[in-house]
Amino acid sequence: MLTKKGIAVSPGVVICCAVVLDAQDVAVPRRTISPKAVPAELERLAQALADSRQDIEKLRDQAIASVGADLAKIFDAHLAMLADPSMMTQIHQAIENEYVTAEFAAYSVMRRVAKVFKDQENRYLQERATDIYDLERRLLGHLIGHSEESLNQLDAQAILVAHNLTPSQTASLDKTKIMGIATDLGGRTSHTAILAHALGIPAVVGLEDMTSSVNTGDMLILDGNRGQAIIEPNAEHLLNYREFKRQQDAFEHTLDELQTLPATTVDGTEIALLANIEFPDEIDPALAKGAVGIGLYRTEFIYLASDTEPSEEEQYEAYSKAIGLLEGRPLTFRTLDLGADKVWNKGNLDHVERNPFLGCRSIRLCLQNLPVFKTQLRALLRASVHGPIRIMFPLISNIMELRQAKMVLADVMEDLEDQEIEFSSDIPVGIMIEVPSAAIQSAVFAQEVDFFSIGTNDLIQYTVAVDRGNERIANLYSAAHPAVIQLIRDVVRVANRTKTEVSLCGEMGGEPEFTMLLLGLGLRHLSITPPAIPEVKQIIRSVSIEKCRRVAHKVASYETEHQVLNYLRTEVRRVLPDRASGSS
Ligand code: PEP
Ligand code: MG
């Protein structure tokens, strides 16, 4: 039995077998086999080589179609390396003479060969090391990990263990089979974490070397509340966890009863609890959890879940579907927020950047790719005839960017008018406040927008200079940082003074510890991940605004995030003494 600690990002406990996705860049442990097992091991290797060859041939054909035969030659080079007799002989010999597994033989030989290339003076030869690593990952993927495609054909439920998952990988998982997610990398508000939470899949990220400690088929307890994974648990642990899971289910059941009750404080202030979604299919479950509308529709997931560029028609269909499902309830569409960790690499929108979180992402990417941006805006405007919508631009960092985005919107409206295509001309336009410059200049922005939505996920990372997806510095990423709270306080004050509607749509809004503080700072609209709605509502219904103001006042006197967090946790325990223990 082995316990690994990570970062809890989506609550819930799962007890199930592991399935390991891709070996990626992890060390393969040396495991030996009996001499009798050698033929079977050689057969596994042959099969994995054949599968890898097939993958590469497919990639080569795709590349010929998309980038031309010249660039596609790289795949011919990969095929030649895979057939290299000297490397293959060494792998075979390791299996036959040292009795090691095929994966260890391939891993150790290929690493050795890559090192020889890496140590060369000649740049061209040095770069061949990258090709060997790439081949190694592909081969190991077939030997010990499931490839993405085969993940979708799992015949039993499993906990997915991966080095890292991209948001698009997460979005395309089969939710009926994947019961939990455990990754080596990742932080609390990485998009993979957000998606897992939204999908209700318990998840722990930042487990560091999880993929090299667990094999497909191992029994796992994944604890998404405490942020730990127990590999091959003993009987006592299994018993304890089954009991904990039972208590938790019972607690959730009591929360379900809140769904139809209003989110009103004890002194009668109504709070709008809206939901964050990525796909229209999340709308019905969000309404069932008690959401009164959608405060953040992350439209970039239409791209992330698609192999080809979504057409205007496809986008129009998705947006119209969402509007129809909401039957007149509020719906805020955020325009494409691609880039950084939300890379869509099936077209030509992604570029390798040294600092992707500070790079050409989000509204910047849209303003540099006007046809893509205009296609989306056309689809949104056309869909606006079906019900009330609002449009929100992400990552605005200066006023000129906002003006440019609004100009593009006006251009698209003009085109539609010229073509006599109907749309609503009365669409509120707002911005995410998620860059410190926008927070600081909120009074300037307030003159030119209808609403603000504070995106704390990015606001935190840019305020405290901590990559939201980096597990190594996850302890420095905190919504309780006094500087972050100060920025939120300032933005809400400006919004109230200028009568600009303000909401908050970062993960912070769904964390019960922060509910009193946010109400005390003056927020009356929160857009949160649907599973968090009942618990946040329970707190709202248990407190007065006066009490929340006192909490916010007290928080303003603290200098460190630890003081803030300790205080807020104590206050939540006072308000809800029965809250399930061990909650994240
Ligand atoms: C945010 O940054 O707080 C936000 C809500 O947007 P995203 O998590 O998609 O970046
Ligand atoms: Mg953001």
Side-chain angles (χ1 to χ4, degrees), residues 19-22 24 160-165 169 181-185 210-211:
V19 60
V20 181
L21 173 69
D22 253 345
Q24 300 275 352
L160 175 61
V161 179
H163 185 57
N164 195 14
L165 278 180
Q169 281 174 316
I181 294 174
T183 60
D184 293 342
L185 305 185
M210 181 75 180
T211 40

Side-chain angles (χ1 to χ4, degrees), residues 191 334 337 342 361 432 434 455 457-458 468:
H191 283 94
R334 179 176 71 185
D337 187 28
K342 288 181 286 195
R361 60 168 292 208
M432 299 275 298
E434 53 183 345
N457 302 339
D458 278 314
R468 63 195 262 189

Side-chain angles (χ1 to χ4, degrees), residues 301-559:
F301 278 83
I302 297 180
Y303 270 75
L304 295 175
S306 172
D307 280 337
T308 51
E309 185 157 351
S311 64
E312 178 185 322
E313 220 42 44
E314 280 165 325
Q315 295 187 56
Y316 167 77
E317 290 297 327
Y319 304 152
S320 304
K321 180 176 172 190
I323 296 167
L325 287 168
L326 280 159
E327 298 177 333
R329 295 178 185 90
L331 169 55
T332 301
F333 285 99
R334 179 176 71 185
T335 59
L336 293 175
D337 187 28
L338 286 169
D341 64 336
K342 288 181 286 195
V343 177
W344 185 68
N345 54 15
K346 316 259 168 45
N348 48 14
L349 285 176
D350 69 317
H351 296 280
V352 177
E353 293 184 299
R354 269 194 299 273
N355 262 320
F357 274 105
L358 302 181
C360 185
R361 60 168 292 208
S362 198
I363 193 71
R364 303 167 184 179
L365 189 75
C366 286
L367 292 175
Q368 287 193 18
N369 289 278
L370 283 184
V372 170
F373 194 25
K374 284 188 167 183
T375 301
Q376 169 171 49
L377 293 174
R378 267 181 79 94
L380 278 173
L381 289 173
R382 283 176 52 209
S384 69
V385 295
H386 301 304
I389 69 163
R390 312 199 304 173
I391 292 180
M392 173 161 77
F393 299 124
L395 207 84
I396 295 289
S397 60
N398 68 60
I399 193 78
M400 292 312 292
E401 234 165 16
L402 169 65
R403 289 181 187 155
Q404 250 180 300
K406 284 173 74 172
M407 254 160 57
V408 179
L409 181 64
D411 274 358
V412 176
M413 286 181 169
E414 222 174 276
D415 289 348
L416 289 178
E417 266 162 12
D418 290 349
Q419 293 164 17
E420 295 182 4
I421 296 172
E422 263 189 277
F423 63 93
S424 160
S425 53
D426 186 22
I427 301 174
V429 173
I431 55 169
M432 299 275 298
I433 299 276
E434 53 183 345
V435 181
S437 60
I440 292 164
Q441 274 200 303
S442 52
V444 177
F445 285 104
Q447 294 167 24
E448 303 190 24
V449 296
D450 297 308
F451 63 94
F452 290 151
S453 190
I454 305 175
T456 48
N457 302 339
D458 278 314
L459 187 62
I460 297 167
Q461 79 164 344
Y462 295 128
T463 302
V464 296
V466 175
D467 176 346
R468 63 195 262 189
N470 187 337
E471 68 289 348
R472 292 173 65 195
I473 44 172
N475 61 324
L476 297 175
Y477 180 96
S478 173
H481 194 298
V484 173
I485 295 169
Q486 175 77 50
L487 284 178
I488 298 174
R489 179 182 288 111
D490 293 349
V491 172
V492 176
R493 272 195 191 143
V494 167
N496 288 341
R497 201 179 62 228
T498 57
K499 305 213 174 353
T500 308
E501 190 198 290
V502 58
S503 66
L504 184 142
C505 64
E507 294 304 288
M508 177 187 192
E511 290 173 27
E513 283 80 4
F514 293 106
T515 307
M516 280 186 269
L517 170 65
L518 296 177
L519 302 195
L521 292 175
L523 281 153
R524 299 293 177 262
H525 296 76
L526 299 176
S527 188
I528 63 184
T529 180
I533 291 175
E535 207 175 348
V536 170
K537 190 191 274 186
Q538 194 183 26
I539 294 176
I540 293 171
R541 291 176 57 81
S542 317
V543 296
S544 68
I545 289 293
E546 200 35 52
K547 160 85 184 160
C548 295
R549 288 203 180 111
R550 280 200 304 275
V551 168
H553 190 71
K554 182 82 185 158
V555 164
S557 69
Y558 293 127
E559 290 175 350

Side-chain angles (χ1 to χ4, degrees), residues 59-110:
L59 283 172
R60 181 191 52 193
D61 295 345
Q62 282 169 357
I64 290 174
S66 57
V67 292
D70 269 357
L71 285 174
K73 281 197 182 115
I74 174 81
F75 295 109
D76 286 326
H78 278 202
L79 285 169
M81 281 183 209
L82 208 53
D84 178 66
S86 148
M87 194 163 77
M88 284 308 131
T89 310
Q90 289 182 56
I91 297 176
H92 276 106
Q93 281 175 348
I95 299 172
E96 286 165 338
N97 305 337
E98 296 167 36
Y99 305 125
V100 291
T101 55
E103 51 269 25
F104 183 75
Y107 165 78
S108 54
V109 170
M110 292 174 94

Side-chain angles (χ1 to χ4, degrees), residues 52-63 149:
S52 302
R53 258 194 305 276
Q54 220 174 34
D55 288 352
I56 299 169
E57 280 162 3
K58 201 165 128 198
L59 283 172
R60 181 191 52 193
D61 295 345
Q62 282 169 357
E149 295 93 75

Side-chain angles (χ1 to χ4, degrees), residues 82-190:
L82 208 53
D84 178 66
S86 148
M87 194 163 77
M88 284 308 131
T89 310
Q90 289 182 56
I91 297 176
H92 276 106
Q93 281 175 348
I95 299 172
E96 286 165 338
N97 305 337
E98 296 167 36
Y99 305 125
V100 291
T101 55
E103 51 269 25
F104 183 75
Y107 165 78
S108 54
V109 170
M110 292 174 94
R111 287 280 154 129
R112 222 166 34 228
V113 175
K115 184 155 185 338
V116 173
F117 279 115
K118 223 168 146 184
D119 292 344
Q120 301 294 316
E121 298 258 298
N122 178 309
R123 272 250 349 240
Y124 174 81
L125 289 176
Q126 275 176 10
E127 280 165 13
R128 299 291 65 77
T130 315
D131 294 323
I132 302 278
Y133 287 134
D134 197 20
L135 280 176
E136 177 220 75
R137 271 205 292 275
R138 185 174 305 287
L139 192 57
L140 290 181
H142 284 294
L143 281 167
I144 52 174
H146 281 62
S147 69
E148 274 167 68
E149 295 93 75
S150 55
L151 259 190
N152 285 331
Q153 290 145 26
L154 282 180
D155 47 13
Q157 296 181 327
I159 294 172
L160 175 61
V161 179
H163 185 57
N164 195 14
L165 278 180
T166 62
S168 47
Q169 281 174 316
T170 314
S172 52
L173 292 176
D174 178 351
K175 287 97 200 167
T176 60
K177 295 282 170 53
I178 302 298
M179 309 310 289
I181 294 174
T183 60
D184 293 342
L185 305 185
R188 182 175 289 280
T189 63
S190 56

Side-chain angles (χ1 to χ4, degrees), residues 271-299:
I271 308 299
L273 279 185
L274 301 115
N276 295 346
I277 59 158
E278 290 73 30
F279 299 102
D281 290 348
E282 291 170 82
I283 290 176
D284 280 342
L287 296 179
K289 283 276 174 203
V292 297
I294 302 302
L296 169 65
Y297 181 160
R298 292 184 165 101
T299 59

